[in-house]
Amino acid sequence: MPGLLRGVARTAVVAGTATAVSNRVSRRQQGRWAAQQGHQEPAAQPAPPAGAAPAASDMSSNLEQLKQLGDLRAQGVLTEAEFEDQKRKLLGN
């Protein structure tokens, strides 16, 4: 049973991270489009997913999230600065 709970918790953290990254990319794209049109609006920061904070303390979850962030950076979805910011938030530094 603990293995199942760990898997569910990991899935929740991964889904929360994917949602947060997706939202950030969407906001960044909207900002760029608005800037091109001359009407740039400041983007609001969303609240972190409710279920992600307690499960984030698990080291294996952190490693999995770091791998995903690295993959997103390698694909060009995240810039180096965004990657470093997300990594810093994930590691709590």
Side-chain angles (χ1 to χ4, degrees):
M1 192 74 160
L4 177 63
L5 291 175
R6 186 178 305 131
V8 170
R10 181 179 295 135
T11 300
V13 170
V14 169
T17 301
T19 301
V21 170
S22 174
N23 290 339
R24 182 176 177 97
V25 169
S26 295
R27 282 192 316 274
R28 195 169 99 202
Q29 287 175 340
Q30 288 174 351
R32 287 181 181 169
W33 293 333
Q36 289 175 354
Q37 296 173 355
H39 301 103
Q40 186 172 5
E41 299 175 13
Q45 292 291 334
S57 64
D58 184 11
M59 183 56 88
S60 62
S61 294
N62 287 348
L63 290 173
E64 188 66 33
Q65 286 181 316
L66 285 172
K67 288 178 187 177
Q68 289 180 342
L69 288 172
D71 290 342
L72 290 171
R73 180 185 58 181
Q75 294 170 4
V77 175
L78 293 176
T79 65
E80 185 67 32
E82 290 171 332
F83 171 77
E84 291 298 326
D85 184 48
Q86 292 296 325
K87 182 174 79 170
R88 192 172 24 260
K89 287 179 185 176
L90 181 65
L91 296 176
N93 294 336

